[in-house]
Amino acid sequence: MQFSSAVLGFARAASFAPMGGVRFQATRQGKRVASSSNAPRYRPGRHFLQIPGPTNVPDRVLRAIDNPTIDHRGPEFGQLGREVLARLKEVFRTKGPVVIYPASGTGAWEAALVNTLSPGDRVLMCRTGWFASLWQEMAERLGLDPVFIETDWRHGADAAAIGAALAADGERRIKAVCVVHNETSTGCTSRIGEVRAAIDEAGHPALLLVDTISSLASIDYRHDEWGVDVTVAGSQKGLMLPPGLSFNAVSEKALAASAAARLPRSYWDWRAMLKPNAEGFFPFTPATNMLFGLSAALDMIFEEGLESVFARHDRHAEATRRAVRAWGLEIQCADPKYFSSSLTAVRLPEGASADALRAVILERFNMSLGNGLGILKDRVFRIGHLGNFGDLELIGTLGGVEMGLAAARVPHQSGGVQAALDYLSGSA
Ligand SMILES: *Cc1c(COP(=O)(O)O)cnc(C)c1O
């Protein structure tokens, strides 16, 4: 007990001083202590975690997690399990099963592939950005045969190109189409309904697998209506939980495919999950306290109403884009059709460093912004405006960016915060 409270004590201290340059070092006792050369520094006010996930965890969720762990084979747990599994379906907008893994989103990516596919299967993917590239690399490592439709990292997936690739696949070698709904590296949201229509128009039997890790519970999404076969999601973005849970929503067609799929799977196997899930239980120890948090997060989402949650994200995204334009900076997403409502990636003028700007903002204003990934390294910074987030938090965030642009001497115009204020107050 002493051990864990010591660890927790430091974790809490670190959360109050996330940029105090704290260095942890392991001691022989296995405890972690702050090294004396770089002691924690108290930072008044709260840290602004404005990366596009993990997002700011609401107090209500933290309080729910902070309860004694219960017996995961006992009756109280069965009730919790049944309740969260049932209510989660509404978030995915599905009547089918949702599987919960104690894993980050990457685990649910793997689960989607290994449950539905066989060695050598061709999968059609769209390189919308960094996360699509990581999913493709995983597919390759698993022994699949991924083929990419390239993009310029400034647009969503091209539904017409997907349709054309399927129409050209006379031998029906493509077994699945994989699309990242909201590409977190670029701030481009793909139109899944259009992708579905393109697949149907080609009359192709491929499964549709969609990554909604940074869009679920932030951006309108409909698993059943859009005929998605596996939806992949994570806990730490729109769902407002800490990192640690991930999800697969599974269609009947995907379940049927899983009966014939031959990729090796054990831990990720849906069949092992779905049986005990029917009674609210899990085949192995679930992340019990995270499920307490999930239950609280679902309460919050349904109290606000899913439609209101989406409208709030749309509104904050529009206010953010108005600020970016007023600064005279460029939005990475080049086509309004694909604008993301959960994050905005902002391009820096030639010669300016996005990482230097982020470092200044972290040091001076105690705010974390997302970095540029892959080919966008140091070229963009990303503003996360998703999860537990209100108008004043958005204004604080944009204020930190505007001050940072001035402090880091990035060529820009002032007036971005004013443009957002005008929009949010309804005076624009
Ligand atoms: C965050 C993210 C991931 C990675 O999820 P992890 O939880 O880090 O494993 C994958 N895809 C998208 C679109 C993401 O935003």
Side-chain angles (χ1 to χ4, degrees), residues 24 33 37 65 71 85 149 166 171 178 181 195 212 215 219 232 278 284 340 344 354 371 389 409 422:
F24 289 116
V33 296
S37 62
I65 291 171
D71 172 11
L85 287 164
I149 295 173
L166 293 176
E171 294 172 40
C178 299
H181 180 219
V195 172
T212 64
S215 55
I219 300 173
V232 174
F284 44 73
S340 168
T344 302
N371 62 335
F389 198 59
R409 300 189 192 287
D422 292 344

Side-chain angles (χ1 to χ4, degrees), residues 52 104-107 109 131 180 182-184 211 213-214 236-237:
S104 84
T106 303
W109 261 352
F131 288 99
V180 174
N182 186 66
E183 178 52 76
T184 321
D211 169 346
I213 295 175
S214 63
Q236 74 271 30
K237 302 187 186 185

Side-chain angles (χ1 to χ4, degrees), residues 313-399:
H313 284 80
D314 291 343
R315 186 163 163 274
H316 288 161
E318 175 59 26
T320 302
R321 291 190 294 266
R322 287 178 185 228
V324 174
R325 290 192 199 104
W327 291 323
L329 300 178
E330 204 180 334
I331 297 164
Q332 174 66 16
C333 180
D335 184 343
K337 173 178 167 179
Y338 300 115
F339 279 157
S340 168
S341 286
S342 62
L343 79 136
T344 302
V346 183
R347 294 173 68 86
L348 260 73
E350 215 48 57
S353 160
D355 289 343
L357 170 68
R358 289 189 315 107
V360 165
I361 290 172
L362 180 58
E363 170 61 31
R364 295 275 297 268
F365 309 117
N366 197 16
M367 175 162 72
S368 295
L369 294 168
N371 62 335
L373 294 164
I375 61 170
L376 299 178
K377 184 175 160 51
D378 206 28
R379 299 306 318 132
V380 305
F381 66 92
R382 296 173 297 140
I383 304 171
H385 33 74
L386 74 163
N388 183 47
F389 198 59
D391 288 6
L392 297 188
E393 280 101 354
L394 176 64
I395 291 303
T397 299
L398 297 175

